[in-house]
Amino acid sequence: MVTDELRQRIAASFDAQGLMSTLGAQLARVADGEVDIELPFAGGLSQQHGFVHAGAITSVVDSACGYAALTRSPPDCGIVTAEFKVNFLRPAIGQRFLARGKVQNAGKLMTVCTGEVLAFNGEDAGKVVALMQATMVNVRQ
């Protein structure tokens, strides 16, 4: 269960991330084992073909997975990424993007998460542009 205290802790941690601020990303949803991060399109995030750069897409879905893991970690722990793999399914073309991290298994030390990034144009249903599998590690603070 996600308490108000945990939501505030996640929001404060997210706000302290300089990269998320630089990218223009915003924390959109915090639930038990799931976190969503929104990313609006910006020309400064593009690569040479005009798509959103893989580094920006990877960064937001990594953070979504990390914060999803934090919802299931012990209260005295932070989270760091141990490893991840990303598959890009199509070019990241859209007006906005939604990165969703989801806990698949939370252990005592490690949490395995999956993530996806959806691209939206207008009010469409969104298309999956990237999938992630990640291992997060609990770090005592």
Side-chain angles (χ1 to χ4, degrees), residues 21-35:
S21 175
T22 297
L23 295 175
Q26 296 183 344
L27 191 60
R29 183 177 72 94
V30 175
D32 183 30
E34 293 186 18
V35 167

Side-chain angles (χ1 to χ4, degrees), residues 86-92 116-117 127-131:
V86 179
N87 292 102
F88 294 95
L89 308 180
R90 58 181 46 88
E116 66 179 5
V117 180
K127 292 183 180 179
V128 177
V129 297
L131 296 172

Side-chain angles (χ1 to χ4, degrees), residues 106-121:
K108 289 182 181 181
L109 297 176
M110 294 188 299
T111 301
V112 174
C113 296
T114 55
E116 66 179 5
V117 180
L118 296 132
F120 295 90
N121 283 301

Side-chain angles (χ1 to χ4, degrees), residues 33-34 61-62 64-73 79-85 101-115 132-138:
E34 293 186 18
V61 72
D62 172 48
C65 286
Y67 286 118
L70 189 61
T71 70
R72 298 274 182 91
S73 72
I79 296 289
V80 294
T81 302
E83 64 83 33
F84 61 69
K85 179 190 186 324
K102 184 175 182 178
V103 171
Q104 297 301 319
N105 186 66
K108 289 182 181 181
L109 297 176
M110 294 188 299
T111 301
V112 174
C113 296
T114 55
M132 174 178 275
Q133 180 161 327
T135 303
M136 302 295 164
V137 178
N138 294 330

Side-chain angles (χ1 to χ4, degrees), residues 37-107:
I37 297 174
E38 292 182 352
L39 178 70
F41 176 81
L45 302 179
S46 66
Q47 43 86 292
Q48 69 276 16
H49 301 292
F51 316 143
V52 173
H53 195 284
I57 295 297
T58 300
S59 294
V60 293
V61 72
D62 172 48
S63 285
C65 286
Y67 286 118
L70 189 61
T71 70
R72 298 274 182 91
S73 72
D76 63 338
C77 286
I79 296 289
V80 294
T81 302
E83 64 83 33
F84 61 69
K85 179 190 186 324
V86 179
N87 292 102
F88 294 95
L89 308 180
R90 58 181 46 88
I93 299 170
Q95 297 168 336
R96 65 185 180 91
F97 302 86
L98 181 71
R100 176 166 291 141
K102 184 175 182 178
V103 171
Q104 297 301 319
N105 186 66

